[in-house]
Amino acid sequence: MRKLFILITSWVALLGTSNLCAEVVDISANKVVYDSFKGWADKKNCNDIDDFREMNLHRGVVELVLICKALNLGGLKPDIQLKKMPNYSRALIEAEKGVVTMPAETAWRIEIDEADFYVSDAIFEAGAIEVGIYALPTNVDIMKINSLDELKKFKGVSSDRWVVDWATLKAMGVKAHSMPKLHLMFKFINVGRADFVLNEFSSEEDFSMEIAGVRLVPVPNIKVGLKGSRHFVVSKKAPNAEKVFEALQDGLKKLRLEGTISRAFEESGIVNPKVKHWKQIYP
């Protein structure tokens, strides 16, 4: 019991919500976000976090800090209780069931049922999350392309479970195979069964990624905007759902007006400034 007490009180201090009259907000976070947040923001009040320049900072960690900041700015004084989940999907499902108030990460709009959730204004508008066209560096033909029409001559690989990536490829009119895991996609490309995969830009100087012994690099000077917007959601089944959502929306508006949201994603590299002037071939 003593260890449990210490754990809970440390999280209250971490998130700057030690007020005994604070509103409890249960937030589900996958293991990466949960562990990364503790490692990056240990013993910091979220209101004091103003510098997001950290190599390989997970988007969910930044979003969790923004949730905390927004709730405070919205006047809620939240007592945030993090619940560790195995993955993003489970975190969203637990929120849908009302087991937690909300997930730590934004959700794609296509995955959100308004019968179950209150939905925030878009944190990322459609097309704002940009990805690279990753291929083998030895594939000289695809490395020369500069338009969507030229990309259509090549075969992609993705997963039909990645609903937004899959919808983006279909909307682009690009042929694509479906594979269940990213490491299998890399292997699929390596043996010549596909030419490319859409993927977030890595933090490496040349944006390269190596998985399962296969090294891919993005086609230079072009990028793709994913066909979907992302939003924070609050479970309508949570007992304090309306209060939390109103505070969240109010706080997010203030953060957006002061430029904190855009700066957080740019400083953390989630919106990569190095590819800012690359040509977006979709949408």
Side-chain angles (χ1 to χ4, degrees):
M1 289 298 293
R2 184 172 182 273
K3 289 183 178 179
L4 178 61
F5 176 76
I6 291 172
L7 177 62
I8 293 174
T9 53
S10 68
W11 272 109
V12 171
L14 168 66
L15 294 168
T17 55
S18 57
N19 190 325
L20 292 176
C21 298
E23 190 79 28
V24 174
V25 181
D26 293 316
I27 297 182
S28 54
N30 70 45
K31 184 180 185 300
V32 173
V33 174
Y34 184 97
D35 292 343
S36 296
F37 185 85
K38 291 185 69 175
W40 179 63
D42 189 32
K43 296 180 181 179
K44 287 184 181 179
N45 184 314
C46 72
N47 292 317
D48 296 331
I49 297 172
D50 199 46
D51 189 344
F52 297 87
R53 288 170 293 186
E54 179 89 0
M55 187 67 75
N56 291 322
L57 194 60
H58 191 283
R59 173 178 47 77
V61 181
V62 177
E63 292 179 345
L64 180 53
V65 173
L66 292 176
I67 288 172
C68 180
K69 282 178 168 290
L71 292 176
N72 276 279
L73 281 174
L76 191 66
K77 298 190 182 302
D79 175 6
I80 293 180
Q81 301 291 317
L82 283 184
K83 311 294 183 182
K84 187 183 289 190
M85 301 291 164
N87 51 53
Y88 159 83
S89 296
R90 180 66 177 276
L92 187 60
I93 289 170
E94 293 302 294
E96 182 180 349
K97 294 191 297 187
V99 175
V100 296
T101 311
M102 62 185 299
E105 297 181 68
T106 53
W108 291 111
R109 186 65 184 83
I110 196 172
E111 297 178 310
I112 303 169
D113 188 341
E114 290 191 37
D116 298 311
F117 292 111
Y118 291 112
V119 184
S120 78
D121 294 336
I123 302 303
F124 291 98
E125 298 287 352
I129 294 185
E130 298 176 324
V131 293
I133 301 167
Y134 275 77
L136 290 168
T138 53
N139 188 341
V140 293
D141 290 332
I142 197 170
M143 290 295 158
K144 296 176 182 178
I145 69 170
N146 191 46
S147 69
L148 177 55
D149 284 340
E150 291 175 344
L151 180 63
K152 289 179 182 180
K153 299 175 184 178
F154 298 89
K155 293 180 180 179
V157 62
S158 185
S159 171
D160 54 13
R161 296 179 183 177
W162 298 357
V163 290
V164 173
D165 292 64
W166 196 252
T168 300
L169 288 168
K170 292 300 181 184
M172 291 166 66
V174 174
K175 295 180 180 179
H177 300 278
S178 179
M179 300 291 288
K181 301 288 184 180
L182 187 59
H183 74 275
L184 295 176
M185 298 176 200
F186 272 54
K187 289 181 178 180
F188 205 65
I189 291 172
N190 194 47
V191 297
R193 299 291 300 280
D195 297 296
F196 72 92
V197 60
L198 299 181
N199 206 77
E200 294 179 1
F201 291 101
S202 79
S203 60
E204 296 296 327
E205 189 65 29
D206 61 355
F207 308 117
S208 64
M209 290 189 67
E210 185 169 330
I211 298 176
V214 181
R215 177 176 173 270
L216 302 182
V217 298
V219 176
N221 302 314
I222 60 173
K223 58 189 177 181
V224 172
L226 293 181
K227 186 179 174 63
S229 58
R230 291 187 71 96
H231 308 253
F232 287 123
V233 293
V234 175
S235 174
K236 290 184 176 181
K237 296 183 177 71
N240 53 357
E242 290 188 39
K243 183 185 293 187
V244 171
F245 181 68
E246 288 174 3
L248 180 69
Q249 277 283 73
D250 185 50
L252 288 173
K253 288 178 181 177
K254 293 175 181 177
L255 290 174
R256 187 174 289 105
L257 284 172
E258 64 189 34
T260 299
I261 294 177
S262 59
R263 181 171 58 80
F265 290 125
E266 288 174 3
E267 286 184 355
S268 63
I270 294 161
V271 175
N272 199 316
K274 293 180 180 179
V275 300
K276 182 177 181 180
H277 299 295
W278 284 23
K279 177 182 178 181
Q280 191 184 75
I281 62 172
Y282 184 86

